[in-house]
Amino acid sequence: MPDIFEDRSSGLESPAYHSAEVTPSDSTDLTTHARALFVGTGGDIRVMTSGGDTVVFRNVPAGILPVRIRRVFAVGTTAADMVAVW
């Protein structure tokens, strides 16, 4: 089936084009900075943003966390079933 949108440029308001399951790590960045994180099972999420800030988002519900993310840390993260989208 053809992609009828392939000739259009995408912006930040466009739906994600790629995705990858996230394995939290205290030493490894995501292969590509995510523009948002899908959270399947809510909880706390400790991240490093694309801007280099490290922060813990507390009590994140299941759904979309609209933050550009470089790394999801294992220590400090209780949420699960996460998928990075970009």
Side-chain angles (χ1 to χ4, degrees):
M1 174 183 297
D3 179 357
I4 63 172
F5 301 106
E6 70 183 346
D7 63 339
R8 305 218 172 106
S9 57
S10 64
L12 291 177
E13 72 287 348
S14 302
Y17 193 69
H18 296 283
S19 61
E21 293 181 9
V22 172
T23 301
S25 171
D26 294 329
S27 60
T28 304
D29 288 348
L30 301 173
T31 56
T32 300
H33 290 211
R35 70 177 180 181
L37 190 67
F38 170 80
V39 181
T41 303
D44 295 347
I45 306 173
R46 182 174 171 229
V47 302
M48 180 183 297
T49 66
S50 290
D53 305 310
T54 299
V55 64
V56 177
F57 291 93
R58 303 241 181 245
N59 302 310
V60 176
I64 299 291
L65 179 62
V67 177
R68 293 191 58 206
I69 295 172
R70 170 189 293 179
R71 179 182 301 168
V72 177
F73 291 92
V75 173
T77 296
T78 59
D81 307 314
M82 294 174 282
V83 177
V85 296
W86 67 94

